[in-house]
Amino acid sequence: MSGPLLDARGLAKSYGARRVLDGVELRVAPGEAVAVVGENGSGKTTLLKLLCGLLRPDAGEIARRGRLGYCPQEPLVFERLSVRENFAYFAAAYGLSRWREAMDELLVRFRFAAHTDALVGDVSGGTRQKLNLALALLPDPELLLLDEPYAGLDWESYLHFWDYAQEARGRGRGLLVVSHFVYDTSAVDRVLELAGGRLC
Amino acid sequence: MLRRLGIAFVLTARELLRRPIVLLLLFLVPAVFVSVILAVTRQTPISFQISAIEEEDYLRVPERAEALVFIGLAAVGVLAAFVALHLAQRDSETMRRLVLCGYRPLELLAARLGVLALTVSGIALLVAMAMALFFRPQSLALMFVGFALLGWVYACYGLLVGTLLRQELEGVLFVALLANLDIGWLQNPIYYAHAQQQVVIRSLPGYLPSQVAMAAAFSEHTAAEILRPALLGFVYGAVLLLLAVLGYARRLRA
């Protein structure tokens, strides 16, 4: 199937009198990686929440295709469950029956296999972030929406993330990464800046 | 769907069991409440009415036994409401993420309700058995029904509060306020036998379950005679639950 995985047109969102997004246009094609950067409070997280369906836009349209993987900025995981149990919970949500191999691969790739049976509340913030990211990657989704996915990761895991991103692009996956900064702009096809409620 | 429901149920139960403070309170609250009653009451006979079942007759029972049933009800209600509040408020954003990933809100809600029902039944059983250590109720099984019914109504109230209020402190205050007024004060038939004729006391969530438990503990009413107030109490809880379910599903979808 051709056409974009994500097509957002004329997105607007306000909080009270404050207009955060004002006519945002954004497309992500299969195999494409797009980065959105911007200052704190520029509306990056709001944009991502609109795109994944956690918020409703005041105006505009969003069309998505394929399975979605969403990595929120703050780790949204169950702290009183182990890393493995979190994978099990999200695998059930995705409707995956054979997920253990994918879990093992992600645990090794992002180097937190030693914490598989630890309670998430007992592991470091970096490991929690790795889990947060890995839960979005678990079903190998067609479209990945990632909000500061490498915040808190060690350098090696950061590099592994971009390795994963390149492999995913090779499989025709689309990526949208929202971050304060992108060290290596060659890793993405486009870098867009969110300023004044618009992408440029 | 059943597999997903089962996974959500098991993991919700594990999460709850891994909170030591919850387990501690489940034993500590009844133990403290019962100890206080044993310390301050005597075996002096007292009289009171069970107005939901028999308007005319006065029952004459030892003060201590009546106080134990009353405090047992309070313990069940408080614990049920707090566990429900905790389940409704905790991890709500992570639950939304699960919904985004494919869980249906009703599956997650059903799993939480299942865990809550088991927990409340366990609390009611524990408290009913503890009561039986200190006096012999007319019907232990029906007294358990009264305790479980109170747990049901207060669990539904706790869910509703947890759905409407996202902040923990506000939720705790709302639960404590009603529990204190209702099952900690106004439903005591010794002091409020006459007041029980008043609409305000009869309309509180603790009224029907308290009357069922008192009747089961101290009168010879049969299950059939207790059935009507028990059913009405169940419906009372069901209405609260319906409101909570609507609010919870809306929150997960929003």
Side-chain angles (χ1 to χ4, degrees):
Chain A
M1 190 184 282
S2 60
L5 293 167
L6 175 70
D7 190 359
R9 294 166 189 266
L11 290 186
K13 182 73 181 174
S14 299
Y15 293 115
R18 185 170 163 254
R19 194 130 175 115
V20 179
L21 300 176
D22 187 12
V24 169
E25 307 275 334
L26 180 63
R27 298 179 92 196
V28 178
E32 188 181 28
V34 178
V36 172
V37 296
E39 293 177 0
N40 291 337
S42 60
K44 302 187 298 296
T45 294
T46 297
L47 173 62
L48 215 60
K49 286 186 173 178
L50 290 178
L51 295 175
C52 73
L54 283 174
L55 285 177
R56 287 184 187 155
D58 299 333
E61 290 178 358
I62 301 165
R64 280 200 324 254
R65 185 162 63 78
R67 175 174 268 164
L68 170 71
Y70 166 60
C71 174
Q73 183 175 11
E74 296 294 325
L76 291 182
V77 293
F78 294 97
E79 300 215 338
R80 293 284 170 176
L81 295 179
S82 69
V83 168
R84 186 193 303 277
E85 288 166 337
N86 270 276
F87 273 108
Y89 218 156
F90 279 81
Y94 291 124
L96 304 175
S97 52
R98 296 170 64 184
W99 52 272
R100 287 177 182 81
E101 279 180 20
M103 175 188 76
D104 290 340
E105 197 264 327
L106 290 164
L107 286 168
V108 171
R109 180 186 284 269
F110 292 107
R111 304 191 308 150
F112 65 120
H115 303 291
T116 309
D117 293 310
L119 291 185
V120 174
D122 294 340
V123 301
S124 69
T127 303
R128 217 170 295 179
Q129 179 57 18
K130 289 176 184 178
L131 173 63
N132 190 39
L133 174 61
L135 292 175
L137 308 182
L138 183 65
D140 189 20
E142 280 79 10
L143 176 64
L144 274 164
L145 302 180
L146 310 173
D147 195 351
E148 307 279 2
Y150 36 78
L153 295 193
D154 53 80
W155 181 248
E156 204 161 331
S157 298
Y158 170 82
L159 295 176
H160 284 309
F161 164 73
W162 283 112
D163 286 345
Y164 177 91
Q166 299 314 319
E167 288 171 25
R169 289 172 68 191
R171 293 195 303 276
R173 290 2 187 181
L175 279 90
L176 178 67
V177 178
V178 163
S179 183
H180 293 93
F181 51 82
V182 176
Y183 285 128
D184 184 4
T185 53
S186 67
V188 295
D189 297 294
R190 288 185 287 151
V191 179
L192 304 171
E193 184 174 3
L194 185 60
R198 288 175 178 269
L199 282 175
C200 48
Chain B
M1 181 181 168
L2 278 179
R3 188 178 152 272
R4 287 147 61 103
L5 192 61
I7 289 171
F9 176 84
V10 168
L11 294 177
T12 302
R14 281 188 199 169
E15 263 209 295
L16 190 65
L17 290 172
R18 285 176 186 161
R19 296 181 190 279
I21 188 70
V22 174
L23 291 179
L24 185 68
L25 286 175
L26 291 184
F27 289 94
L28 198 64
V29 168
V32 169
F33 281 22
V34 168
S35 300
V36 169
I37 291 300
L38 292 176
V40 301
T41 58
R42 293 174 298 173
Q43 296 290 5
T44 315
I46 53 162
S47 299
F48 62 90
Q49 268 182 313
I50 302 173
S51 55
I53 297 164
E54 180 54 68
E55 297 276 349
E56 302 298 327
D57 290 352
Y58 273 80
L59 296 173
R60 192 167 171 78
V61 304
E63 176 194 0
R64 175 168 292 170
E66 188 278 339
L68 279 169
V69 175
F70 175 68
I71 211 70
L73 287 162
V76 172
V78 165
L79 287 171
F82 278 117
V83 171
L85 181 71
H86 172 80
L87 283 175
Q89 287 187 326
R90 191 80 190 179
D91 295 321
S92 60
E93 287 303 305
T94 312
M95 302 290 274
R96 285 187 75 196
R97 187 180 181 188
L98 280 177
V99 169
L100 195 68
C101 294
Y103 255 112
R104 295 185 188 94
L106 282 181
E107 289 173 331
L108 294 172
L109 186 62
R112 298 217 151 197
L113 286 176
V115 171
L116 185 59
L118 262 185
T119 309
V120 169
S121 302
I123 295 167
L125 188 63
L126 179 77
V127 174
M129 299 305 286
M131 298 295 106
L133 294 176
F134 302 103
F135 76 98
R136 179 176 285 185
Q138 288 287 342
S139 170
L140 180 60
L142 286 179
M143 190 175 77
F144 163 73
V145 169
F147 284 150
L149 194 61
L150 190 96
W152 155 255
V153 175
Y154 264 85
C156 294
Y157 173 69
L159 276 180
L160 181 60
V161 170
T163 302
L164 296 177
L165 305 172
R166 297 197 180 200
Q167 299 299 316
E168 204 169 337
L169 181 62
E170 285 89 325
V172 168
L173 286 174
F174 264 78
V175 164
L177 180 71
L178 184 68
N180 198 18
L181 276 174
D182 182 20
I183 46 178
W185 180 24
L186 293 173
Q187 301 305 340
N188 191 334
I190 299 177
Y191 307 113
Y192 296 95
H194 297 294
Q196 278 178 23
Q197 309 305 321
Q198 295 179 5
V199 172
V200 69
I201 292 178
R202 285 173 177 249
S203 61
L204 289 170
Y207 176 69
L208 291 163
S210 301
Q211 297 283 303
V212 168
M214 288 287 175
F218 303 118
S219 76
E220 293 179 352
H221 286 101
T222 61
E225 290 169 313
I226 289 173
L227 186 64
R228 188 174 172 276
L231 279 177
L232 287 174
F234 183 82
V235 170
Y236 194 118
V239 172
L240 294 177
L241 179 65
L242 180 66
L243 295 173
V245 166
L246 291 174
Y248 196 74
R250 187 170 174 273
R251 185 203 287 185
L252 286 184
R253 282 202 186 95

